[in-house]
Amino acid sequence: MNLLSVKQLTKLYKGQEVVTNLSFDLQKGECLGLVGESGCGKSTLARCLLRLENIDSGSIFFKDQAIENLRHRQLIPFRKDMQIVFQNPTAALNPKLKIKDSLLDPYIQYQNDLTLRYFSYTSKEQFVLQLLDVVGLPANLAGRYPHELSGGQRQRVTIARSISIEPELIILDEPTASLDVISQAEILTLLTKLRQDLNLSYLFISHDLAAVKQLSQRIMVMKKGTIVDQFPCDELFDDQRHGYTKELISIF
Ligand SMILES: Nc1ncnc2c1ncn2[C@@H]1O[C@H](COP(=O)(O)OP(=O)(O)OP(=O)(O)O)[C@@H](O)[C@H]1O
């Protein structure tokens, strides 16, 4: 079943096409990798899918509903189902909020629309402890501020926030790019486990072909705003790969 279906999406900035006539499907439960060099339009695409930007033409279907023209109030249930994890966890967390309050924030915002399946909410304290535990963080971090955590711990908190309201799809926009190699590997392992345990779907955006291969079932390669190649992960090294995919492979 297609969770997300994008048809001929085009986005312009100041008259210039940044995403051009782009189409793809993302199935429920899969991780779809998106690779491409800096500036090819990956983050723009992510913002369009989340409806943080309007698109210029084309369609975005989420759970078979066309969402490209929905207005603010109509987007509320959809926003709950589609979350994003950004590259920089420091910028994503409010420095003035303790970790426990950051973790509770999405729940408080969406509680009237939520039917939790995986987590249970009997008290604030218990909910925060569940979230910390599921992303492998100790309970005593709840009372700390973001600057008192390591970069890897902060990224775990942003991941915990994104899964707290049990979305269907998470867009991972370079989630490990700001981390050291060991933290990167740990976060990738965590993301794999969460996808399986919570039946999540991911659009995993990265420069790092090795990371994309580790996490994804299928890979899309983007160049100058268009998808030039799309294939199952185990066909990455096949001879029929697009020349640009081969170039990316040779760099890694
Ligand atoms: N708000 C904006 N206004 C004008 N141009 C923009 C805006 N946001 C992005 N761009 C331009 O759109 C193009 C694509 O940028 P985008 O950030 O989507 O690329 P990217 O593939 O995500 O790059 P990176 O991997 O470096 O994050 C770039 O040329 C960028 O300068």
Side-chain angles (χ1 to χ4, degrees), residues 210-232:
V212 166
K213 185 172 186 309
Q214 183 185 331
L215 222 69
S216 313
Q217 284 76 58
R218 287 189 303 131
I219 300 178
M220 296 190 298
V221 179
M222 193 168 176
K223 185 182 183 189
K224 293 183 182 161
T226 61
I227 302 292
V228 294
D229 207 356
Q230 211 175 143
F231 48 89

Side-chain angles (χ1 to χ4, degrees), residues 13-14 18 36-45 47 53 87 173-174 205 207:
Y13 285 128
K14 295 174 187 152
V18 175
E37 67 193 13
S38 183
C40 72
K42 304 183 295 299
S43 297
T44 303
L45 173 65
R47 289 196 300 274
E53 303 260 10
Q87 172 176 346
D173 193 354
E174 306 264 9
I205 299 174
H207 291 107

